Amino acid sequence: MKFAASIARIVDRTLGRARKGTLGLALAAAALAVSPAAAQSFWQEIQNKGVLRCAAAIAPPYVMKDIRTGEHGGAYLDLCREFAETVLNVKVEFVDTNWDNIVAGLQAGRWDISPALNRTPMRALALAYTITSAYDQMNLAYLSDSTKIVDPALDLSTIDQPGMRIGVMSGAAQDATLTAFIKNADIIRIPDPNGLNLALLSGRVDIIAGDATTNMLLEIAHRGKITLLNPEPALMKQGIGFGLPRDISERDLDVLNIFLEERVNTGYVQRRLEHWGAVHLETVQ
């Protein structure tokens, strides 16, 4: 009997320790399960700071800046401002940059959002994307009285020739596409859209490759002087969205996606593109 009682006490102590160990593991697992929910979200951190920082790399009518007043505009900066003020209830800050740094600056934390980014697989390796809110198809523009470009082939075979100078905005999606396609012509990289247009108008380059909407505004501003060339087959047609830090949670990404979805479906984005296109034309004519 004494022996049986001793065995019973040993078993009881062993089971007790096991129950305590199991309970400890359960509590630790519960703590781990709670911690992500308790951690601040990307948008909560911005709300605590009180400001949403949006990159501003110029590309009319998507992203613009009045050089006289320093005020920023453009369809995608309007979206940044509205999202900051109406959804997050914070101020917006536009951080001037260029297309060479638009992704690197986001990775380095110099701003929170990179607007008007073409959605490409290479960029998607480095950042997170929102849904597509517009589309960009690349075309080319050249001077109508050019003696080097006469009845160019739509497959660009007559453009991709030694001695032909093709201008493109450095770091833009068109830069990567053109670099992969052009084998013989010289590619001249220029950091901003105004400089790109001036390079064409001054004869520094023979033809420029850019966003079809931006080139259309150039053609309208210089009616009769500019001819547009739409390659066939198309070299590039990509969705445009917003770039965000790569590690943003799916839940946080949904917040901006839902906001954009409504603005696209109600025609707001298209109306802002048309508005800022008209504003740009007034400044260049």
Side-chain angles (χ1 to χ4, degrees):
M1 291 295 291
K2 290 183 179 179
F3 178 75
S6 297
I7 293 297
R9 284 195 297 272
I10 292 171
V11 170
D12 185 63
R13 285 197 299 270
T14 302
L15 290 176
R17 285 195 296 269
R19 284 194 294 270
K20 289 179 182 178
T22 302
L23 179 60
L25 289 174
L27 290 173
L32 289 173
V34 169
S35 58
Q40 285 193 337
S41 74
F42 181 70
W43 301 126
Q44 285 174 330
E45 290 179 1
I46 290 172
Q47 286 175 318
N48 288 340
K49 294 175 184 176
V51 62
L52 176 67
R53 300 168 301 162
C54 296
I58 305 303
Y62 307 99
V63 179
M64 296 165 56
K65 184 178 182 180
D66 190 322
I67 58 175
R68 296 166 298 179
T69 65
E71 292 185 4
H72 291 84
Y76 276 69
L77 296 194
D78 283 354
L79 287 167
C80 271
R81 180 182 288 106
E82 187 181 0
F83 180 72
E85 295 177 351
T86 66
V87 177
L88 301 180
N89 195 29
V90 299
K91 296 179 180 179
V92 68
E93 176 187 338
F94 299 121
V95 184
D96 291 323
T97 186
N98 56 48
W99 290 102
D100 283 321
N101 296 316
I102 194 76
V103 173
L106 181 68
Q107 292 175 304
R110 290 197 289 271
W111 45 79
D112 307 306
I113 294 181
S114 290
L117 275 186
N118 283 43
R119 290 161 49 95
T120 70
M122 292 301 295
R123 284 176 174 170
L125 292 173
L127 50 80
Y129 272 115
T130 64
I131 60 171
T132 292
S133 44
Y135 284 92
D136 168 29
Q137 181 166 341
M138 185 179 79
N139 69 2
L140 296 94
Y142 61 94
L143 296 177
S144 301
D145 60 1
S146 172
T147 57
K148 291 182 68 173
I149 304 175
V150 179
D151 296 327
L154 296 182
D155 64 1
L156 302 189
S157 58
T158 55
I159 298 297
D160 188 15
Q161 296 293 329
M164 190 70 73
R165 300 164 302 171
I166 307 175
V168 68
M169 196 157 58
S170 61
Q174 294 84 8
D175 185 358
T177 299
L178 206 64
T179 300
F181 182 83
I182 296 298
K183 305 302 181 184
N184 302 301
D186 296 323
I187 299 176
I188 311 298
R189 294 175 176 84
I190 298 169
D192 63 271
N194 291 331
L196 185 64
N197 293 343
L198 287 173
L200 176 63
L201 295 170
S202 66
R204 180 184 168 193
V205 299
D206 303 305
I207 189 168
I208 61 174
D211 168 69
T213 301
T214 303
N215 279 345
M216 178 190 69
L217 295 176
L218 174 67
E219 188 269 336
I220 293 173
H222 300 276
R223 186 76 72 183
K225 295 182 180 180
I226 301 292
T227 298
L228 300 181
L229 174 62
N230 295 298
E232 292 183 10
L235 289 184
M236 185 189 81
K237 186 172 183 179
Q238 298 170 341
I240 303 174
F242 288 77
L244 293 155
R246 182 181 178 184
D247 60 354
I248 190 172
S249 71
E250 184 176 350
R251 186 168 185 173
D252 280 334
L253 190 58
D254 279 344
V255 175
L256 184 51
N257 278 336
I258 292 169
F259 168 82
L260 291 174
E261 183 180 55
E262 192 271 341
R263 296 305 184 273
V264 171
N265 291 337
T266 58
Y268 175 87
V269 176
Q270 184 60 35
R271 290 194 298 273
R272 299 319 292 166
L273 287 170
E274 292 171 359
H275 167 77
W276 287 109
V279 170
H280 178 68
L281 287 175
E282 290 177 0
T283 64
V284 298
Q285 287 181 327

